Every structure is written in C-alpha cells, then in structure tokens.
C-alpha cells in the first residue's frame, strides 16, 4: 500500500510533529523524516518511516515537505540555511511550514520558493498535543489558492478544521489573532481566580457560577482548575506563548497598531519566563499572582 | 391564587428588574413595586402589581424585598436614605440586593440589617436581559446560610443557577471575578479582531478558525460578530461595565492586590465612556481600536 503515493518529508519531530507525521504514515504515504535529535524519530522509524540526514537529503526525494519546529530562527535555518529546503527541494514540490512563526518570514519563504519554482505555504495549527494525537487540529493556512488545494487533503489527514485565510503569511497572522485571544483569556482567568481567592471565596465554587455564562472561556474552564490543583504541567509551554506574543507584538508594530492588552500580556509572560517558569504550562502564570497576593497579605 | 403567599416588594424596574419582578408575579406572589420612573412600572401594574410611593411604603407590607438598581449610590440611598429599607423594613423580613454593587457596601448593609432584626443578602446576577427574560439568570449570593435557604426558592423563580458563595459581600465579590474575566475576554476579542483586520484578513473567516478552540470565549463568539456588523446596541452598557471594573479595582486595592489586566481594562473602558460611548454596548470598545488602526494606517 502507499506505493502509488508521493513521498512526504517531515522535518521536526517534537510532541506535535511526531503525532502529525504519524498520521501521514498511517494514511499510507512513504515518509522521510529528519529532526535535530534523532532519538525522537525512533517510534516513527519503527513504524516504517525512513531517516534522512538533513532537510536537503529529505527534500530531494519528496513532493511534499512539512516542517514543524520551535522558533522562527529554526524555520529560517531549515529553509534558508546550508542544506536548506529552498535550495534543495525538487521543482514543483510543496513546502508547508506548520511552525507558529513570523508572518513576514512566511512571506519571505513564499517569495524565495516561487523564484525557484516551488510552492510554499504557512500552516500553523492549534489544538495542542491532544489535537495532534487525535488528528483534530485546526490548520490556518496562508498561500496561493491553487497550492492550498494541492495540500488541503494532506492537512486534512492531520487536522479537522483546515481553512485558507489568505495569501502568504495569512496563516501566521491568523495564529497570532488566536494567541492574542488566548493570552487575554488566560490572564483574565488568572486575575479572576486570584481576586476570588484573595476575597476569601472558594475559587472552585466561583467557577461553578461564572464558568458557563458570558465570562466563560476555554482558558477559564480548562486552565483555572489546573491552577487550583497546582498542576502546571505543560499542555502549551509558557516560553512558546511568550515567543508567539513577541511575534504578534512585532507584527502589530509593523502595522502601526497599538494593542495595549497584547503588550501587557507579553510583559506578564516575559516575567514568568524570567522567573524560571518557561518550561511550565502557560497556566503557571497563576504562580506570579499567588506570590503577589501573598506579598500583599503580609503588608 | 397567591393569596396564601407572602407579599414581595421589588425596587428598581429597569430592563433587568422588570423581567425579574414579572417572574415573581407570574409565580403568584402579591407584588409591590417602586421605581424612580413610574412609567417603567406600567406593564407590571397592568398585570396585577401594586404601586408604592417609596421603598419605605413598600417595605412596610412585604416579607421579602428585592432591589435591582444602577449604581452603589442608588443602593445606598434605597437602604440608608430617608424612607430607606433598613429603617422601615418589618423585623424578620429579607432584603435582597441584586444590583452589581460594592462588596463593602453589601457587608455594611448586612450589619445594619442584623442590628434591626432584618436579614440582608447580596445577590447580583449574570445572564443579561435575555437571561432575565427567560428566568435563566445566574445568581451569586452572599449572606448567612439560613437566610440563603429562606430566599433560595424565590431566586430560583428568576434564575437557573443559584449558588451561595459565602458570607455578606461574597456574591458581589463573585460578580467582580465574573466581570474581570468578561473584560479580559472582551478586550482580547477586540484586539484579536483588530489585529486580523489590520493584517488584511477577513475577520469572519478568522473567527471560523479560532472561535471553537483554546482561544474561544463567549465574548469572542457572541460579541466579535456584532462588532464586525457594526452592531453596538447595548446588551450590557459600557458605562455599567466601567462602574463594575471600578468597584473591582477598589476592592482589589483594599485587598492589596495588584491586577494589571483589570487596571488596563478599566482604563480602556474609561476612555470609551469619555469618548461618549457609555450608552453603547460593551462591544463598542472595538470603535476605539478601529480609529486607532485607521490613524495608524495614515502614518
């Protein structure tokens, strides 16, 4: 099976990438993989994926290449570095970056790809590790319409809501709008819970009153209980949200746009990461307020 | 019918109060009403309610008195002013303030009531005009447990989620936590949509990608479409949210609590009201950003 299918390359096998690549493999596509830490590829290799020593080596053999790495600088290296995708991909192939990255970098990749007869799309996702595992990701796509049509089916193997939002960079911009709302809702949940606890209420009983009405949000209902349980395990790393908010702020500035709530949220998460909590989940923001509240109580 | 039931007084017949009092009347309770603008009582009087010239006159005849007015100063006047409830209520009667008001005022009313052999509870609500009309309000109650048990059934005539959150003021504190989350989610929705529009995306398509996942909130899904439609009709007045955020900030300061997102939200809504939009719905906050964005584009 799958022998009639085009080979697919996948670069970046972290928690998200591993699940996403696994769905492509299960769907019968010959899979070539590369990731910085080879050990992370073990399960996929055992299931039939083939290791390649560089993005270039992988790109030589594939009509579709997906990338899912950590930071814009990683994206930049994989696309533009030595042995990078732009220089080494086969003409007519499709390069799809699923990393949450800079919209302007996505546009630059798209232009460089076009100059070499390649198609590039930005396709960041939301839905977290659970969404990746269950192929229920939301995929926000930027790129030319025809190119989107060519990769839509593959994105549908990994996600359940696949929407083209516009030209190159539009997927990243959509993801930025997503992260702005997440940060606001999460910080709002933290301040609401902090206020309730300081007022001597039982925050869990407060959630029973406020969680389902017009104050309700995914962040309040999913993250506030974790905060109250002292569960700060990462569903989504604080350091990654900080990275995303920095990108959103840069983009907003480039558009001459003043978004004070975004600016405040970025400061709050920078403080959290400075305090050593970058590898905790985003809900660890609560720890900064708990201390603040305790310090206040001492005065 | 209802002749065996205790008379209930209702003070304050705005959009919320009228619906709430109407449910009590329909449930068969003899109803005495008072409100500043008598014309607002017309429908209830036509349905069998009886007009009284002051809170005092009404309180003389009722075992239960509900109040639902605009601002803490109105609450203060109705409870402590000349012809006020505290001085004129029948011993053994229950005074229930449904206004969103100051937690410290609720505690003061409770103490003054107890000194006169009355029971007072704070019972602010959420759910808006629609919730009031459909008797689906969430009622957040502060007061003694026995007093709560005595009025719980009546609150259940007007609301569907009736929870005691603690002693006097606890209902107001819970409502403040609710308003903090609302303000954060609403401002987050405004900034997400503003960002998306400035980036050249179609904000409605963006909502299709981000509305149902971890960025989702009641505010984003209910209010962003209204913003985009240019529909700023008040479901909830901007000036009332500003009042609530001011109360929340005062309470936070009294607890020595630093809530920067709450502080920022209060500033944003103060600006909105200063600009003359206080009588619009809270979603009118978008107008401040639209202008900002347009001004940016001119530079």
């Amino acid at each position: 099976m799958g022998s009639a299918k085009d080979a697919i390359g996948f670069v970046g096998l972290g928690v998200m990438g591993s699940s996403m690549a696994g769905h492509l493999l299960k769907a019968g596509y010959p899979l070539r993989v590369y990731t910085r830490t080879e050990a992370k590829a073990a399960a996929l290799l055992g299931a039939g994926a083939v290791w390649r020593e560089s993005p270039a080596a992988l790109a030589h053999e594939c009509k579709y290449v997906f990338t899912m790495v950590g930071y814009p600088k990683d994206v930049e290296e994989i696309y533009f570095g030595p042995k990078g995708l732009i220089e080494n991909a086969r003409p007519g192939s499709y390069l799809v970056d699923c990393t949450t990255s800079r919209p302007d970098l996505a546009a630059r990749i798209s232009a460089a790809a076009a100059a070499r007869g390649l198609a590039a799309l930005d396709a960041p996702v939301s839905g977290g590790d659970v969404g990746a595992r269950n192929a229920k990701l939301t995929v926000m796509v930027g790129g030319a319409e025809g190119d989107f049509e060519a990769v839509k089916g593959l994105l549908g193997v990994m996600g359940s809501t696949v929407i083209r939002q516009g030209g190159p960079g539009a997927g990243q911009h959509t993801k930025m709008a997503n992260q702005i709302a997440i940060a606001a809702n999460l910080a709002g949940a933290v301040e609401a819970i902090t206020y309730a606890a300081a007022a001597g209420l039982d925050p869990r009983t407060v959630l029973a009153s406020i969680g389902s009405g017009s104050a309700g949000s995914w962040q309040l209902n999913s993250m506030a209980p974790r905060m109250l349980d002292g569960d700060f395990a990462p569903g989504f790393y604080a350091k990654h949200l900080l990275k995303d908010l920095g990108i959103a702020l840069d983009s907003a500035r480039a558009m001459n746009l003043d978004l004070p709530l975004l600016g405040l949220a970025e400061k709050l998460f920078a403080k959290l990461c400075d305090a050593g909590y970058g590898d905790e989940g985003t809900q660890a923001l609560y720890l900064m307020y708990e201390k603040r509240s305790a310090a206040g109580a001492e005065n």
Side-chain angles (χ1 to χ4, degrees), chain A:
Chain A
M1 89 185 219
S3 60
K5 296 189 174 181
D6 292 301
I8 296 179
F10 210 107
V11 177
L13 300 175
V15 173
M16 300 292 291
S18 293
S19 289
M20 293 164 72
H23 293 303
L24 294 169
L25 191 62
K26 263 178 263 156
Y29 292 94
L31 191 69
R32 307 285 179 267
V33 297
Y34 168 79
T35 196
R36 207 156 39 190
T37 312
E38 189 172 347
K40 290 192 178 169
L44 284 167
L45 297 181
V50 177
W51 178 258
R52 286 294 171 256
E53 286 297 334
S54 69
L58 168 153
H60 290 317
E61 303 172 29
C62 297
K63 181 167 181 183
Y64 306 95
V65 180
F66 292 88
T67 54
M68 183 58 161
V69 294
Y71 291 85
K73 66 174 166 43
D74 305 316
V75 174
E76 187 135 12
E77 191 188 333
I78 287 164
Y79 282 80
F80 292 112
K83 306 201 178 170
L85 294 176
I86 297 290
E87 204 176 317
N88 292 285
R90 296 178 355 196
S93 64
Y94 295 86
L95 311 178
V96 186
D97 185 25
C98 298
T99 315
T100 296
S101 172
R102 301 178 57 93
D104 55 355
L105 176 55
R108 194 147 63 82
I109 289 172
S110 172
R116 279 212 60 244
L118 311 165
L121 299 108
D122 48 300
V125 304
S126 68
D129 52 344
V130 176
R133 210 155 46 232
N134 302 328
K136 296 277 185 205
L137 293 170
T138 292
V139 191
M140 298 157 257
V141 188
E145 187 138 21
D147 297 338
F148 173 65
E149 292 302 328
V151 301
K152 196 173 151 184
L154 293 176
L155 292 173
V157 170
M158 302 179 279
S160 55
T161 305
V162 181
I163 299 177
R164 179 179 172 265
Q165 292 285 351
Q172 297 297 353
H173 276 309
T174 302
K175 182 69 188 278
M176 291 302 119
N178 190 75
Q179 304 307 74
I180 291 169
I182 282 182
N185 299 353
L186 178 61
V190 166
E191 294 203 359
I193 291 301
T194 299
Y195 178 100
L201 307 177
D202 175 346
R204 284 181 183 80
T205 309
V206 171
L207 283 178
S209 280
I210 76 174
S212 57
S214 54
S217 69
W218 190 95
Q219 294 294 326
L220 183 67
N221 288 306
S222 303
M223 288 303 166
R226 294 194 203 178
M227 296 169 203
L228 296 171
D229 289 344
D231 171 9
F232 302 110
F236 179 38
Y237 285 117
K239 66 184 177 187
H240 284 167
L241 182 55
L242 175 61
K243 178 253 303 182
D244 297 351
L245 298 178
I247 294 172
L249 262 184
D250 282 350
S251 294
R253 279 186 202 118
M255 299 188 284
N256 226 332
L257 204 58
D258 180 21
L259 300 178
L261 178 44
L262 169 60
L264 173 61
E266 199 265 352
K267 279 197 193 80
L268 293 173
F269 279 95
K271 221 168 176 176
L272 179 66
C273 293
D274 283 349
Y277 296 109
D279 286 320
E280 303 286 348
T282 51
Q283 72 273 23
L285 183 61
Y286 186 55
L287 293 169
M288 306 303 284
Y289 283 78
E290 262 195 320
K291 280 177 190 162
R292 214 177 278 202
S293 168
E298 280 162 20
N299 290 346

